[in-house]
């Protein structure tokens, strides 16, 4: 761990030594992002270096990706509220279909040549800038005291001994959608059969429902919550604080989650926006992000560096084999049934 801290510190220090751009720019890119620690790391390892080198300023506007999409749709045909936007890969197709994103300029985004094929958009829109996965985070002390074996598969969340101690994400959140997809599979269905997954989730005797990871991060330290579905990076953030927790990638595959980065349609600064995307998927920003929050870089140049740090490598999907082992839902089919799922969720889960 000392090596990781040293490497991250050296990387941050190196970024502060970048020369200030010779030519000041009056352009400020507005970038829709997630907020919290993720925005902080993107500012530190991508935006600050980008501004130092180009003079182009970056203003992050934080919110839920679905909110970003709603704002872009509402302003379609006019100047968009963002020049660049980070999205979840499961909702990027909706944004493309709505016509609120534009294809990248590969002559500017040259780092695309080093991005894993699994993270590239086949139609030329923004690539994934990190690989994450949704698995199970559980309290090792509570499990041991209750005589519950460590979870190894998704169905273990339905163990009756966990009654009142499982947190479930709502469908507005990625962890909720990940659980629904796996519940559908457990019930013999797939992304086209939300009713099977909803009925399966309704069997869980939950502690509470959450709509943000921040809520979940506040609940685990209380000891009342013993298990939940969560993204690997967030899970390790809690484990590394010394809490008695462990993260499991269940049999059948943890659910792949890719964060994409796109240039918005109608931006007044397409060149600068493409340059920023190129910065984010470049090796320096990718390496810094991975050291701060253990999500897997999508730039292949970073893979051997990550693998040189076993304590870090075990926390994230970093190799091609690990990336390909993740379960990648059929998101277009899922979203075609999302409204049905939300309706059933309200009637069969929340009101049960």
């Amino acid at each position: 761990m000392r090596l990781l801290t040293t490497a991250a510190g050296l990387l941050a220090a190196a970024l502060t030594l970048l020369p200030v751009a010779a030519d000041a720019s009056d352009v400020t890119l507005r970038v829709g992002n997630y907020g919290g620690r993720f925005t902080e790391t993107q500012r530190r390892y991508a935006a600050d270096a980008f501004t130092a080198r180009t003079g182009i300023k970056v203003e992050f506007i934080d919110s839920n990706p679905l909110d970003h999409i709603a704002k872009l749709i509402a302003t379609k045909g006019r100047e968009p509220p963002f020049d660049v936007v980070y999205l979840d890969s499961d909702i990027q197709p909706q944004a493309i279909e709505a016509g609120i994103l534009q294809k990248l300029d590969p002559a500017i985004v040259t780092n695309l040549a080093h991005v894993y094929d699994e993270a590239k958009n086949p139609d030329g829109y923004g690539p994934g800038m990190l690989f994450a996965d949704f698995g199970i985070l559980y309290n090792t002390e509570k499990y041991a005291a209750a005589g519950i074996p460590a979870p190894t598969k998704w169905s273990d969340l339905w163990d009756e001994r966990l009654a009142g101690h499982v947190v479930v994400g709502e469908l507005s959140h990625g962890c909720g959608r990940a659980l629904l997809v796996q519940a559908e599979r457990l019930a013999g269905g797939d992304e086209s059969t939300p009713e099977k997954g909803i009925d399966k989730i309704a069997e869980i005797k939950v502690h509470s429902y959450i709509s943000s990871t921040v809520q979940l991060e506040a609940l685990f330290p209380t000891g009342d919550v013993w298990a939940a579905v969560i993204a690997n990076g967030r899970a390790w953030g809690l484990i590394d604080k010394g809490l008695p927790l462990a993260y499991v990638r269940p049999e059948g595959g943890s659910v792949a989650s890719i964060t994409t980065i796109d240039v918005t349609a109608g931006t007044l600064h397409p060149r600068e926006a493409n340059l920023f995307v190129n910065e984010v998927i470049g090796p320096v920003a990718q390496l810094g992000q991975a050291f701060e929050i253990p999500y897997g870089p999508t730039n292949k140049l970073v893979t051997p560096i990550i693998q040189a740090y076993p304590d870090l490598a075990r926390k994230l999907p970093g190799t091609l084999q690990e990336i390909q082992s993740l379960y990648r839902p059929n998101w277009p089919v899922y979203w075609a049934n999302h409204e049905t799922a939300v309706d059933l969720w309200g009637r069969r889960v929340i009101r049960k």
Side-chain angles (χ1 to χ4, degrees), residues 160-176:
E160 292 184 356
R161 290 169 290 184
L162 292 175
H165 299 291
V166 179
V167 167
V168 169
E170 297 176 1
L171 298 186
S172 60
H173 193 278
C175 66

Side-chain angles (χ1 to χ4, degrees), residues 18 24 56 62 89 124 132 135 138 183 208 220 222 240 267 283 334 340 343:
L18 287 172
I56 302 166
D62 299 331
S89 58
Y138 72 100
S208 55
F220 263 109
T222 68
D240 289 342
T267 172
Y334 169 87
T340 298
D343 176 65

Side-chain angles (χ1 to χ4, degrees), residues 209-345:
Y209 301 99
I210 57 100
S211 59
S212 78
T213 308
V214 173
Q215 294 172 287
L216 186 54
E217 289 171 329
L219 287 170
F220 263 109
T222 68
D224 292 333
V225 173
W226 298 0
V229 177
I230 192 173
N232 67 295
R234 298 283 198 164
W236 281 102
L238 290 169
I239 295 169
D240 289 342
K241 288 180 179 179
L243 295 173
L245 305 173
Y247 180 72
V248 172
R249 293 186 171 100
E251 296 173 10
S254 50
V255 178
S257 176
I258 302 175
T259 292
T260 61
I261 182 166
D262 270 286
V263 175
T264 61
T267 172
L268 301 181
H269 310 292
R271 176 180 173 276
E272 291 85 353
N274 274 272
L275 284 171
F276 182 70
V277 171
N278 194 53
E279 185 79 34
V280 169
I281 63 173
V284 173
Q286 292 264 294
L287 185 60
Q289 174 70 67
F291 271 109
E292 290 276 351
I293 306 176
Y295 292 127
T298 58
N299 188 311
K300 293 180 286 187
L301 298 178
V302 179
T303 300
I305 302 174
I306 298 294
Q307 296 307 304
Y309 294 90
D311 282 347
L312 175 61
R314 68 190 178 93
K315 298 178 181 179
L316 53 81
T319 67
L320 181 60
Q321 181 179 7
E322 290 169 341
I323 292 165
Q324 292 178 338
S325 71
L326 304 177
Y327 179 70
R328 301 186 70 168
N330 188 330
W331 288 121
V333 171
Y334 169 87
W335 281 103
N337 293 277
H338 179 70
E339 290 187 10
T340 298
V342 171
D343 176 65
L344 292 172
W345 183 275

Side-chain angles (χ1 to χ4, degrees), residues 10-270:
L10 289 173
L11 183 56
L15 292 177
T16 66
L17 297 177
L18 287 172
V20 176
D23 297 322
S25 171
D26 60 357
V27 173
T28 296
L29 289 177
R30 298 156 302 165
V31 179
N33 205 346
Y34 293 87
R37 193 178 174 202
F38 183 81
T39 290
E40 292 174 6
T41 57
Q42 286 298 290
R43 178 179 291 110
R44 181 177 302 120
Y45 295 107
D48 288 351
F50 178 73
T51 299
R53 188 171 57 258
T54 66
I56 302 166
K57 295 174 282 295
V58 177
E59 176 190 357
F60 286 110
I61 303 169
D62 299 331
S63 189
N64 184 294
L66 288 172
D67 292 335
H68 291 326
I69 288 180
K71 290 177 181 177
L72 287 167
I73 291 175
T75 57
K76 187 176 179 181
R78 294 174 283 147
E79 182 181 355
F82 319 114
D83 304 290
V84 177
V85 65
Y86 293 75
L87 296 173
D88 298 327
S89 58
D90 63 326
I91 62 176
Q92 186 194 39
Q94 297 179 59
I96 293 172
E97 185 177 357
I100 56 177
L101 306 178
Q102 64 175 272
K103 295 183 180 182
L104 299 181
D105 183 345
I108 298 177
V109 191
T110 55
N111 281 319
L112 278 172
H114 306 299
V115 170
Y116 280 108
D117 289 341
E118 286 76 6
K120 291 180 180 177
N121 182 282
D123 298 317
Y125 291 93
M129 50 77 58
L130 64 78
F131 291 111
D133 65 280
F134 285 100
I136 298 173
L137 182 65
Y138 72 100
N139 188 309
T140 56
E141 290 182 352
K142 297 296 184 180
Y143 267 63
I148 307 174
T152 60
K153 51 189 182 298
W154 287 100
S155 60
D156 289 338
L157 286 172
W158 279 259
D159 191 313
E160 292 184 356
R161 290 169 290 184
L162 292 175
H165 299 291
V166 179
V167 167
V168 169
E170 297 176 1
L171 298 186
S172 60
H173 193 278
C175 66
R177 298 193 292 273
L179 178 60
L180 176 56
V181 165
Q182 292 296 4
E184 289 169 332
R185 298 176 73 200
L186 286 174
D190 56 29
E191 291 82 350
S192 68
T193 55
E195 67 282 356
K196 292 185 177 182
I198 295 294
D199 285 344
K200 184 71 176 175
I201 291 175
E203 297 172 2
I204 299 176
K205 296 180 176 60
V206 303
H207 171 279
S208 55
Y209 301 99
I210 57 100
S211 59
S212 78
T213 308
V214 173
Q215 294 172 287
L216 186 54
E217 289 171 329
L219 287 170
F220 263 109
T222 68
D224 292 333
V225 173
W226 298 0
V229 177
I230 192 173
N232 67 295
R234 298 283 198 164
W236 281 102
L238 290 169
I239 295 169
D240 289 342
K241 288 180 179 179
L243 295 173
L245 305 173
Y247 180 72
V248 172
R249 293 186 171 100
E251 296 173 10
S254 50
V255 178
S257 176
I258 302 175
T259 292
T260 61
I261 182 166
D262 270 286
V263 175
T264 61
T267 172
L268 301 181
H269 310 292

